[in-house]
Amino acid sequence: KNQVEQSPQSLIILEGKNCTLQCNYTVSPFSNLRWYKQDTGRGPVSLTIMTFSENTKSNGRYTATLDADTKQSSLHITASQLSDSASYICVVSASGYGGSQGNLIFGKGTKLSVKP
Amino acid sequence: EAQVTQNPRYLITVTGKKLTVTCSQNMNHEYMSWYRQDPGLGLRQIYYSMNVEVTDKGDVPEGYKVSRKEKRNFPLILESPSPNQTSLYFCASSRTGFYTDTQYFGPGTRLTVL
């Protein structure tokens, strides 16, 4: 069964500190992995999207890594800011078979709180 | 500004009263999708559309209808809403396939069915 597991469920850090969020998946056949940031009450916003051949991708202070062998990804946030407080959602895309559409498998997210 | 818009943003209604949530994108995207988000369950796809007049079911289509008569619009219709459809709804669009390309999400519609 295709699944995406994120850890931790929630995390509190002090402003200026770094943190790393984890995503483990069992999805086949793998197409790509995305990280989204979702502010409370708003729609998710894409941070990164990585295919099988990419093992790291950055977007400002956000750096995502992908290990396709172990089926793990991490999102590292550097020098956190209060505005980083949000839920971070890992989404893995599975390719479709025989012309059928692929599928997106969503993790439940990690809720990050950055305190002053 | 490139965006996905949804209306209304908040809606409280009663069981059985038909309602429509509108979604519009100005990016000329081919693909559009509807999701619902519930605490502890994450985002789940309701329906998606690959182009005008082409729609298909997602993971949780029961109780919902959609239509795609124009490329930019993808309304979600609840013919007879029930309390278990109380949720936060998101529309999303992508230039090509939703599973290959980045999705852009709307701001969400919080629906309460009494």
Side-chain angles (χ1 to χ4, degrees), chain A residues 35-64:
Chain A
W35 283 94
Y36 283 89
K37 177 188 179 188
Q38 185 178 20
D39 293 317
T40 301
R42 307 188 82 161
V45 174
S46 178
L47 293 175
T48 63
I49 180 169
M50 290 183 290
T51 60
F52 184 88
S53 59
E54 298 172 295
N55 55 24
T56 188
K57 203 157 205 178
S58 292
N59 179 353
R61 294 179 296 102
Y62 300 100
T63 299

Side-chain angles (χ1 to χ4, degrees), chain A residues 32 34 38 93 101 104 108, chain B residues 31 37 40 98-99 101 103:
Chain A
N32 59 68
R34 308 122 182 256
Q38 185 178 20
S93 171
Q101 289 300 306
L104 290 178
K108 295 179 181 177
Chain B
Y31 276 70
Q37 187 175 37
F98 62 85
Y99 70 100
D101 201 2
Q103 284 193 292

